[in-house]
Amino acid sequence: MVPGGANSMIQPDRLSTTKRLAKQGDRAALAQLISYAVAHKQIAATVAFDADRLHVGLEGVSIPNQQIATTLIERELVSLRQDVITTVVINGTQTGASEPAWVHELQLEAPVPVVARPLRRSPYAAHRSRCQKPFTLTVNDVLTFLATFDPLKAVFVSLLALYGFFGASNYTVDGFLEGSDRIMMFLHGVNLIFHEAGHTILAIFGRFLHILGGSLMQVMVPAVIAGYFVVTRQMYASAIALCWTAQNLWDVSIYIKDAQVRSLPLLGGEGVLHDWHFLLLDLHLLTQDQLVGGIAFFLGSLLYVAAIAGGFYYARMET
């Protein structure tokens, strides 16, 4: 019997070596990989071998989730393409309990042997082969795939995706003046804090940067936060911060498109300077305010889609 847990945790620089040993049938390496696969779920694994059968005991403060635990273990073993273990019996037990709460048996398919291919092959052979073995998708396949996602993360990203799909069209001058999108108005209030701070911080760099600093800072703050999460390998959090960055580009696009008309209510009243009226006038682009604002909105939309895709990707559980 080979116990899992802290003593069998794999250092990142040893992971590839451990997988190679496990593929060759090394039992200690197999036990380490199984423990590694479920450790992030706060589950301790105990592994025992019986000929070509593998017995895995999982124990946690709460009863280990059967669907998630078996999926993680099966995925790890299948990826090895080893032929030592054909049957895996997994049981889940709550710490302190005398009997397992559930028992599940997995049958692993033997890896397909590699055979030499003929030097010349008809171009229709691959097509016939695909036709003979059509792709099938079962309910169990779908459930197994869904089990790889952290439900809270997946739901949150789904809500952000829905907001982007239905709420992006509200980011117009008329939409802002109407104020019916409560989420947009709330986020605008939050973004306004960084906008005004940008004016103050960049005031020492001249009038142009002083005026540009508001819009620049409200976009840069979430972008820097996203960058920090990337550096610290918190990729899911980085994707969420990128959504916020994209939303700020949408918010700025409203201000840009109002440069000529100047119908938006400004903080400080009628007598204050309209940032983008001054900036576009200085750049001789005032008549192109709709184009410049449209570009900002388009870039925000591209970034939002990329962030949502990244959010779904990193919502999957680490193994």
Side-chain angles (χ1 to χ4, degrees):
M1 181 174 293
V2 182
N7 294 331
S8 58
M9 292 312 298
I10 307 172
Q11 297 300 322
D13 59 341
R14 295 286 301 169
L15 183 58
S16 60
T17 301
T18 304
K19 287 191 174 184
R20 185 174 67 253
L21 291 173
K23 186 175 182 179
Q24 296 170 357
D26 186 289
R27 294 187 171 189
L30 277 169
Q32 282 185 305
L33 285 176
I34 291 174
S35 295
Y36 183 75
V38 297
H40 68 288
K41 287 298 177 182
Q42 308 302 314
I43 299 173
T46 302
V47 182
F49 297 83
D50 179 14
D52 61 350
R53 294 173 67 87
L54 186 67
H55 297 270
V56 181
L58 303 178
E59 183 177 309
V61 176
S62 57
I63 298 174
N65 184 288
Q66 180 178 351
Q67 182 68 48
I68 293 176
T70 55
T71 298
L72 292 173
I73 292 173
E74 181 179 19
R75 193 192 321 171
E76 191 66 52
L77 292 174
V78 169
S79 69
L80 294 174
R81 297 183 61 82
Q82 52 80 42
D83 56 4
V84 177
I85 303 300
T86 60
T87 304
V88 185
V89 179
I90 309 170
N91 64 74
T93 308
Q94 186 174 11
T95 302
S98 58
E99 297 293 333
W102 53 265
V103 178
H104 184 79
E105 183 173 303
L106 292 174
Q107 295 295 329
L108 302 178
E109 295 183 2
V112 178
V114 178
V115 296
R117 293 184 177 181
L119 294 178
R120 293 185 179 180
R121 187 177 182 185
S122 168
Y124 303 103
H127 175 72
R128 288 199 302 269
S129 176
R130 287 193 295 269
C131 291
Q132 292 170 356
K133 295 181 179 180
F135 173 76
T136 57
L137 183 67
T138 66
V139 174
N140 187 60
D141 293 332
V142 175
L143 293 176
T144 300
F145 176 74
L146 292 177
T148 63
F149 285 87
D150 183 305
L152 292 179
K153 290 181 178 180
V155 167
F156 187 63
V157 175
S158 298
L159 291 175
L160 289 178
L162 288 174
Y163 176 71
F165 184 79
F166 292 105
S169 60
N170 296 325
Y171 284 79
T172 63
V173 175
D174 290 340
F176 186 90
L177 292 173
E178 182 181 348
S180 60
D181 187 333
R182 298 302 180 186
I183 296 177
M184 176 180 70
M185 302 309 294
F186 170 77
L187 291 175
H188 174 75
V190 175
N191 299 334
L192 187 61
I193 298 172
F194 302 108
H195 182 102
E196 295 304 319
H199 286 314
T200 303
I201 294 171
L202 296 182
I204 61 174
F205 296 103
R207 185 171 177 79
F208 188 87
L209 280 180
H210 169 54
I211 302 301
L212 178 62
S215 298
L216 185 63
M217 185 64 70
Q218 75 173 87
V219 174
M220 289 303 298
V221 166
V224 169
I225 292 173
Y228 167 78
F229 285 134
V230 170
V231 172
T232 56
R233 307 304 299 167
Q234 301 179 68
M235 303 307 293
Y236 176 79
S238 176
I240 302 305
L242 278 181
C243 281
W244 183 21
T245 307
Q247 187 274 332
N248 269 282
L249 283 171
W250 289 345
D251 192 61
V252 169
S253 75
I254 300 174
Y255 203 4
I256 297 173
K257 291 179 179 180
D258 186 56
Q260 287 193 79
V261 179
R262 289 182 286 177
S263 60
L264 292 175
L266 302 179
L267 192 64
E270 294 292 333
V272 299
L273 181 69
H274 188 295
D275 294 358
W276 283 97
H277 178 83
F278 168 83
L279 293 171
L280 294 183
L281 185 64
D282 194 61
L283 294 170
H284 306 290
L285 292 173
L286 185 59
T287 58
Q288 303 299 320
D289 60 345
Q290 299 303 306
L291 174 62
V292 177
I295 292 173
F297 182 85
F298 177 72
L299 292 176
S301 299
L302 286 181
L303 186 60
Y304 201 92
V305 171
I308 291 297
F312 276 117
Y313 181 82
Y314 290 110
R316 299 185 70 181
M317 296 180 296
E318 297 178 1
T319 58

